[in-house]
Amino acid sequence: MAKYSTNRGGGGSDGDSCELCGRTTTKLRRANVAGADLLVCSDCAPHGDNRHTDSKRESTDSTRDDSERSRRKRAAQRTAKMYDNAKGDSKHWEKEGTNYEKDRLPYLVSGYGGTVESARQDAGLQLSELAAELDLEEKQLLAIEQGRATRANVGGSVIRALEERLDVSLVDE
């Protein structure tokens, strides 16, 4: 009778029997059968998950390492390419003379968009009226009210102007 997952042969303590079928042989291989590491004969080896000899397994491991390294390299190259494409030409959305490095967006309080929208409505102002008063495009003000100030590339001076005009606190200090 064969022993399962003992890493010893099934025919006693000499280790010369297949752990799957019990056949006595001197040519046993290690195979992973249904999650158990077993010493098996050549007839039972095809049942193992790793159907390779140890020397082939080592070469497969190095191939996997090369494959993993290559995959990571391709991922890094794709990320760099996406970054380069995203940089592109920003002239279509930048205002003339605006320096976004000096006009950084400060950390904003949670729910700042709703705060701006409520304060604007309480002041009796339409979106277009407030945008014109602050010399903004409506879509920038709408982005702020929707909580998308960062993605809309709104500068800190716009936030400060809104705080002053609507008498609200938007900067998280």
Side-chain angles (χ1 to χ4, degrees):
M1 183 79 188
K3 294 181 182 178
Y4 295 98
S5 67
T6 61
N7 291 328
R8 292 187 307 153
S13 62
D14 54 355
D16 60 353
S17 295
C18 174
E19 290 183 319
L20 199 57
C21 69
R23 181 174 149 209
T24 302
T25 181
T26 58
K27 296 180 181 181
L28 295 175
R29 300 181 197 180
R30 184 160 309 279
N32 188 320
V33 179
D37 264 349
L38 304 175
L39 289 173
V40 295
C41 64
S42 59
D43 292 338
C44 294
H47 296 292
D49 294 338
N50 62 339
R51 299 179 186 106
H52 304 291
T53 61
D54 288 340
S55 63
K56 286 183 183 175
R57 185 183 315 154
E58 289 173 9
S59 68
T60 303
D61 289 344
S62 67
T63 303
R64 279 190 207 132
D65 290 344
D66 292 343
S67 169
E68 176 69 16
R69 218 171 300 137
S70 175
R71 186 186 65 77
R72 287 183 182 184
K73 183 178 179 182
R74 284 192 315 270
Q77 287 170 338
R78 270 188 252 122
T79 302
K81 186 176 182 180
M82 286 174 30
Y83 175 76
D84 289 343
N85 288 341
K87 281 177 70 176
D89 181 24
S90 59
K91 299 298 179 206
H92 65 278
W93 56 265
E94 282 184 350
K95 281 181 138 181
E96 183 83 23
T98 303
N99 185 342
Y100 289 99
E101 286 300 313
K102 290 182 181 175
D103 192 23
R104 289 182 180 234
L105 184 66
Y107 288 105
L108 301 173
V109 296
S110 179
Y112 67 90
T115 303
V116 171
E117 185 177 14
S118 296
R120 175 184 57 79
Q121 289 172 350
D122 290 346
L125 295 169
Q126 294 293 318
L127 191 68
S128 57
E129 294 171 339
L130 183 58
E133 188 178 320
L134 297 175
D135 194 28
L136 293 174
E137 292 182 29
E138 281 186 50
K139 64 181 182 180
Q140 282 185 310
L141 187 54
L142 180 62
I144 293 169
E145 287 187 357
Q146 292 175 344
R148 299 181 294 114
T150 304
R151 284 178 266 157
N153 295 313
V154 174
S157 60
V158 172
I159 298 298
R160 286 182 207 81
L162 277 170
E163 283 183 320
E164 187 177 317
R165 171 61 180 93
L166 298 174
D167 194 32
V168 293
S169 179
L170 303 174
V171 177
D172 187 15
E173 296 182 56

